[in-house]
């Protein structure tokens, strides 16, 4: 908050140019005085006497002013610092010497007020109330008297001589307020009394125009140039005051702007507080999300490790499968080769079967008993060679003389046996070719086909 300290400067207002900045200097003799009559009717029920005084001579009761009435006597007695302060039968109590704090040769403001209505007498030194008194009830100021300055009307004793200087001795037809008294005192020697013109009945200019007795002279209060300089200074100060007032108005505007800015700052601060709260909440949420992400990352790392292990296992399995497929390819090749061999063996078996059948037919038609015996012996030897007893079937066949087909005797022969009698095939084939060449048998003479035909 911006605090503006506004200082009110009370500046004295100088007198108008036609006024004389002249004081009266009184000598130290009772013959050095001014006395004249004046219509005191305006002051009958209230008055105020204010003046500037400079003490020069030292006396017991330095008398500033005395109003002497022929019917009563000393109606008003005002000494500078003593105890003789009387108005309309009343007096101010106490000795006022301690109230005048300025040293001799210095100007001080002296002011006394009285009112019939309040019956109160008040004495001010330099604008400060220093003494009070009370007048009798209904007691008014008596008329038809004479005014004296620097002496007591009823005495020529030097102990009542003021022997100093007076300036702006004025009598007002009212009891001035304490604020008005203070304003005159603070206004200084060059204070402009224009605002008091209606109540300032007995004026300083009138006193200056009265005849003087003895050693009473006029003196300038410093110089006329001093008040002129003060007036110029006042004008400058007035300008400065105007500038200060303008500055104060600008400062007031600035203050309003600053207050508005302060309110905006407070509002912004509140908004920032809300944003800060939201950020704190968001930060907490981010912390929670961070924790979840870290947990998820750990789970992913675990799963990745497991996947890596599974991958290793899959790689091992893939290698094994590759090896197995290679083995299967080898097996397939072997099986293909075996099937090929089986097909060849089957073909060989069929051919051999037919050749054997042809041979059997030849044996049935051509061979004699002796030859059959010799052939049986050969088949027996062949059976021992291949490990199969085929002689019994062949001999039995020939003994039956075609009672059973020859092909049935060879049904028990298996594929491994056929491989072992491969050499016999070529031998039998040669015999078959020989018998065909000699026209002993043909390929159409197959007992198996005749059987199937029947």
């Amino acid at each position: 908050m911006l605090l503006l300290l506004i200082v009110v400067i009370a500046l004295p207002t100088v007198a108008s140019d036609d006024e004389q900045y002249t004081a009266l200097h009184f000598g130290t003799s009772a013959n050095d005085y001014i006395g004249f009559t004046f219509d005191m009717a305006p002051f009958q029920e209230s008055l105020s006497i204010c003046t500037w005084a400079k003490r020069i001579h030292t006396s017991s009761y330095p008398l500033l002013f005395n109003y002497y009435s022929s019917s009563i006597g000393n109606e008003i007695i005002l000494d500078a610092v003593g105890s003789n302060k009387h108005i309309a039968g009343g007096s101010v109590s106490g000795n006022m010497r301690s109230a005048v704090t300025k040293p001799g040769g210095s100007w001080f403001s002296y002011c006394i007020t009285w009112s019939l209505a309040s019956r109160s007498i008040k004495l001010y030194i330099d604008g400060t109330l220093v003494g009070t008194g009370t007048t009798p009830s209904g007691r008014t100021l008596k008329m038809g008297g004479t005014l004296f300055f620097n002496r007591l009307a009823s005495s020529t004793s030097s102990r009542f001589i003021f022997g100093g200087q007076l300036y702006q001795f004025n009598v007002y037809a009212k009891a001035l307020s304490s604020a008005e008294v203070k304003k005159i005192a603070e206004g200084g020697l060059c204070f402009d009394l224009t605002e008091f013109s209606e109540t300032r009945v007995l004026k300083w200019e009138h006193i200056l125009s009265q005849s003087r007795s003895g050693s009473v002279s006029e003196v300038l209060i410093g110089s006329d140039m001093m008040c002129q300089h003060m007036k110029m200074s006042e004008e400058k100060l007035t300008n400065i005051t105007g500038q200060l007032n303008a500055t104060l108005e600008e400062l007031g505007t600035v203050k309003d702007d600053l207050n508005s800015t302060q309110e905006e700052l407070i509002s912004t601060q509140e908004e920032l507080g809300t944003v800060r709260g939201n950020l704190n909440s968001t930060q907490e949420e981010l912390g929670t999300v961070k924790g979840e992400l870290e947990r998820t990352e750990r789970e992913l790392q675990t799963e990745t490790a497991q996947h890596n292990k599974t991958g290793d296992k899959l790689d091992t399995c893939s290698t094994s499968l590759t090896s197995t497929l290679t083995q299967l390819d080898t097996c397939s090749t072997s099986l293909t080769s075996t099937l090929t061999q089986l097909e060849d063996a089957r073909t060989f078996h069929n051919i051999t079967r037919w050749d054997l059948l042809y041979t059997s037919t030849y044996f049935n038609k051509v061979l004699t008993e002796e030859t059959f015996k010799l052939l049986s012996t050969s088949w027996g030897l062949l059976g021992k060679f291949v490990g199969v007893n085929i002689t019994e079937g062949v001999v039995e066949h020939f003994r039956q003389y075609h009672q059973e087909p020859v092909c049935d005797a060879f049904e028990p022969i298996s594929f491994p046996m056929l491989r072992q009698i491969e050499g016999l095939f070529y031998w039998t084939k040669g015999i078959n070719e020989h018998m065909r060449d000699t026209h002993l048998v043909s390929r159409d003479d197959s007992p198996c086909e005749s059987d199937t035909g029947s």
Side-chain angles (χ1 to χ4, degrees), residues 102-128:
K102 293 182 180 180
S106 299
W107 289 101
F108 64 93
S109 173
Y110 183 103
C111 195
I112 192 168
T113 65
W114 165 73
S115 170
L116 174 64
S118 64
R119 299 170 51 200
S120 176
I121 304 173
K122 296 180 180 179
L123 176 65
Y124 298 87
I125 300 296
D126 288 330
T128 302

Side-chain angles (χ1 to χ4, degrees), residues 72-89:
I72 297 296
N74 295 318
E75 190 70 349
I76 300 176
I77 298 177
L78 300 178
D79 65 7
V81 295
S83 58
N84 292 322
K85 300 172 186 63
H86 305 279
I87 295 179

Side-chain angles (χ1 to χ4, degrees), residues 217-254:
S217 59
E218 294 183 358
V219 293
L220 294 176
I221 49 173
S223 68
D224 183 59
M225 292 302 297
M226 180 185 73
C227 288
Q228 292 293 338
H229 178 72
M230 290 180 65
K231 182 177 181 180
M232 294 174 63
S233 298
E234 178 194 2
E235 292 176 354
K236 292 180 180 179
L237 289 175
T238 300
N239 293 333
I240 293 174
T241 301
Q243 295 175 0
L244 287 175
N245 290 334
T247 302
L248 289 176
E249 291 179 358
E250 293 178 357
L251 289 176
T253 302
V254 172

